[in-house]
């Protein structure tokens, strides 16, 4: 890898970490717009671009997601989730000031894959701008509830689209985690 040490794209990929501590300061409009633009340039099956991005910066709306998250985690039966929800300062999105839900057209060829690639671009764009981001999977559970369906309708998520992932985004408010060791035995090269 040392031959590629000067390549900015590779440095960004190798440096990116999931951030779970955010400053309360809202990100700049220009930063949000460039991140969303980068997301729209992700590859997609047959070039369908079947995604829809819902960027939320409204504290009241984010509060609704936190309420849902707390209820869901407490009733999940998963010890790790229950303990997290019991925390006095619980926040589904780790107190990030911006929350982006990425939905996909359920009739597209590969909406889950396409949304995942778009979220990957969000992570890399955020890192390149000095912002922190973390995947929030709990949005996938919200879509299965009446409360969630109602909230998605209020947010203007198009009919026929489902959220397949989401991102908490903001300025890093803590230490940058060390990378976990990479698992061995995950690559076969056949020549």
């Amino acid at each position: 890898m040392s031959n590629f040490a000067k390549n900015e794209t590779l440095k960004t990929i190798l440096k990116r970490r999931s951030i779970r501590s955010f400053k309360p300061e809202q990100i700049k409009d220009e930063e949000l717009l460039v991140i969303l633009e980068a997301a729209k340039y992700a590859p997609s099956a047959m070039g369908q671009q079947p995604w829809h991005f819902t960027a939320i910066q409204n504290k009241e709306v984010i509060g609704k997601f936190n309420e849902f998250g707390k209820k869901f985690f407490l009733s999940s039966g998963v010890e790790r989730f229950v303990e997290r929800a019991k925390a006095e300062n619980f926040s589904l999105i780790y107190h990030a000031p911006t929350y982006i839900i990425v939905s996909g057209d359920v009739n597209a060829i590969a909406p889950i894959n396409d949304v995942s690639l778009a979220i990957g671009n969000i992570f890399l764009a955020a890192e390149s701008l000095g912002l922190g981001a973390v995947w929030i999977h709990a949005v996938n559970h919200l879509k299965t509830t009446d409360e969630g369906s109602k909230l998605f309708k209020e947010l203007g998520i198009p009919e026929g689209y489902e959220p397949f992932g989401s991102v908490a985004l903001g300025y890093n408010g803590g230490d940058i985690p060390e990378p976990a060791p990479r698992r061995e035995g995950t690559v076969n090269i056949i020549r």
Side-chain angles (χ1 to χ4, degrees):
M1 251 337 168
S2 62
N3 292 340
F4 300 103
K6 292 182 181 177
N7 182 296
E8 290 302 316
T9 303
L10 292 175
K11 284 197 304 193
T12 299
I13 291 169
L14 297 175
K15 196 173 107 179
R16 192 215 63 80
R17 299 287 169 268
S18 292
I19 300 300
R20 292 178 176 86
S21 176
F22 297 94
K23 293 178 181 176
E25 172 188 353
Q26 188 55 265
I27 67 172
K28 295 178 180 87
D29 289 345
E30 311 83 66
E31 292 168 329
L32 177 60
L33 293 176
V34 79
I35 286 168
L36 292 170
E37 191 67 13
K40 293 190 294 183
Y41 274 83
S44 63
M46 301 293 291
Q48 287 187 312
Q49 304 175 40
W51 39 62
H52 183 270
F53 304 93
T54 305
I56 304 165
Q57 296 180 319
N58 179 293
K59 290 180 182 181
E60 184 180 311
V61 175
I62 288 173
K64 287 182 182 183
F65 279 96
N66 282 329
E67 288 172 30
F68 165 77
K70 188 167 194 139
K71 281 191 265 182
F72 175 78
F73 279 22
L74 287 171
S75 65
S76 70
V78 178
E79 186 177 334
R80 184 175 176 182
F81 290 166
V82 171
E83 288 307 309
R84 183 169 164 220
K86 287 180 180 177
E88 188 175 315
N89 67 345
F90 172 82
S91 171
L92 181 68
I93 64 168
Y94 301 98
H95 303 285
T98 297
Y99 181 50
I100 301 172
I101 299 171
V102 188
S103 305
D105 181 344
V106 296
N107 294 312
I109 294 168
I112 296 171
N113 306 71
D114 296 340
V115 163
S116 297
L117 287 165
I119 290 174
N121 275 17
I122 289 171
F123 286 145
L124 295 176
E127 178 65 34
S128 74
L129 295 172
L131 299 172
V134 65
W135 184 294
I136 304 294
H137 187 73
V139 72
N140 297 43
H141 300 291
L142 181 55
K143 71 184 177 191
T144 64
T145 67
D146 290 337
E147 177 186 0
S149 295
K150 182 180 174 209
L151 184 53
F152 291 141
K153 197 169 211 152
E154 289 173 18
L155 293 174
I157 292 174
E159 193 70 35
Y161 282 67
E162 282 192 29
F164 291 115
S166 61
V167 179
L169 184 66
Y171 299 112
N172 185 7
D175 294 331
I176 296 174
E178 287 295 318
R182 301 296 99 175
R183 288 183 24 230
E184 295 294 324
T186 60
V187 176
N188 285 347
I189 298 176
I190 301 167
R191 296 192 171 135

